[in-house]
Amino acid sequence: MFPNTVIIDRSRIKKLRKQEEERFVAERPRSSELLIQANKCMPHGVPMSWMASLFDHQPIFSTEGEGAYFIDVDGHRYLDMGQSDLSTICGFTPAPVVKAVTQQMSKGCQFLTPCEAAISVANELAERFSKPQWQFTLSASSANAEAIRVARRATGRETILLFDGKYHGHLDDTLVVSRNGKVEPLTEGLSSLASKNVRIVQYNDLNAVEAVLKQEPVACVIVEPVLTNVGIITPDPGFHQGLWELTRAHGAVLIHDETHTHAFAFGGLTNKWSLNADIVTLGKNFAGGVAIGAYGMSEGIANVFSKESDTDGTTYTTSALTGGTLFGNVLSLTAADAALKQVMTKSAYSHITKLGGMLADGIEAIVQDRNLPWSVQRMYCRSGVTYAPNLPRTAEEAFLSADAELNGVQRIYQANRGVWEAVSSAGPAISFPMVSDDIELYLKVYADFLDELLLGESTDG
Ligand code: PMP
């Protein structure tokens, strides 16, 4: 079943790649010019290095966006099917967020005191994710870093257990990989000490989880409700309940990373599938594109924050060291309040789920019409293609069926025709402002792409 069953002539992929790359660069003179300037003041000409590798072609410089579309400095307009890695699922200009943030900005954006919006957002998330206690950060990475710290504080243990194919953010603890059974830092520059405290097993393998939990004291297990960074990998029936029971039996904290899956369902998959966890982490998208992160905890876990006062009762410290100067700022919380209550509503999620079904059906029809032995991922608003007849159950299987070269040429072909789908490990997804015409545009370009590859015929100019 695996490895991949791409039956397309490799030389055709390479030829199309060259042709599309030349067109991409030729049609973007202003971005090329800016890249020369940017290279003089930033490594690879980008403000964060991930942007250099993210697109598999030279970066473009963007100017503005509206709804589900954005525009680059050369005037090209793109339908964003990746939503800036699921951070702009509310679209580029969600009206209630624009209004709330504009008003708040004119009244002050940072006080380093609590604000009323914090209470409102915490209560809204508490309701959606069934977690009574919340803390805020400015990214999902920071939410995960603090969740791990809280779990370590709660258990007095150090080891964390992750699943192969995971991504939980920009922290040494989780930027690790298992090579020949040994957990190592993903790249140079990361702490080798951090990786010593990490174990990695395959998704859907409860026996492997149990073996680790039996072997040593584990502080926490971190898992996504579905794996989202190796295409989509769904849990076997009983997988999450099994994790819940095993972590209960062995005294480990269970953390659900809903950073991406919050885009798929109202209240995330925690709510949709009635999942149990001690901590839920969020980020990226619930402030309408404004930087934010958060984690929700059970009352028991939140006890690690219990206040301790000194003998005269005047000085308070909390026993968990978390927080940052701009974390929980009024601007991000005001944005989150507007996004959650006025954009990320139940009916808006029904809308993207319906369009997500159309997208997956359309992709499936295109693949089947061309007799390609591939399978189609379906996860509410998100879809994707696995280059194998069956969907993978583990990251090992997903890696075997992956095809970076094919994904790369698809991305650049689409970009040349106004469809932006950046991250190669993620399939297309629907954002709240999209309408069915947007899905049709995506499907047309995807069908044209495959025809050009398979038949060698150009269907457009
Ligand atoms: N968790 C998951 C599941 C993610 O996919 C990501 C980013 N792709 C993160 C956490 C970290 O998000 P950020 O880079 O915004 O901190």
Side-chain angles (χ1 to χ4, degrees), residues 50 232 268 321 446:
W50 186 34
I232 289 284
L321 207 57
Y446 186 53

Side-chain angles (χ1 to χ4, degrees), residues 41-118:
C41 53
M42 293 177 285
H44 300 291
V46 291
M48 63 140 175
S49 67
W50 186 34
M51 282 181 188
S53 58
L54 195 52
F55 308 117
D56 192 30
H57 49 66
Q58 90 170 32
I60 55 166
F61 288 72
S62 309
T63 52
E64 58 190 277
E66 192 185 357
Y69 288 79
F70 70 99
I71 296 175
D72 70 15
V73 285
D74 290 289
H76 300 286
R77 186 167 177 262
Y78 305 92
L79 170 66
D80 188 9
M81 294 300 288
Q83 288 100 50
S84 323
D85 206 15
L86 295 180
S87 63
T88 50
I89 58 169
C90 295
F92 291 99
T93 45
V97 181
V98 173
K99 187 171 168 209
V101 166
T102 309
Q103 280 174 356
Q104 188 58 53
M105 194 68 202
S106 66
K107 294 193 281 182
C109 59
Q110 154 77 341
F111 304 116
L112 200 55
T113 74
C115 59
E116 279 194 48

Side-chain angles (χ1 to χ4, degrees), residues 191-223:
S191 163
S192 61
L193 293 178
S195 61
K196 290 197 173 33
N197 289 322
V198 185
R199 308 290 170 263
I200 297 180
V201 297
Q202 291 298 315
Y203 202 74
N204 279 321
D205 190 346
L206 284 175
N207 290 335
V209 173
E210 186 170 25
V212 174
L213 293 180
K214 272 186 173 160
Q215 199 177 321
E216 62 184 312
V218 168
C220 59
V221 176
I222 311 179
V223 67

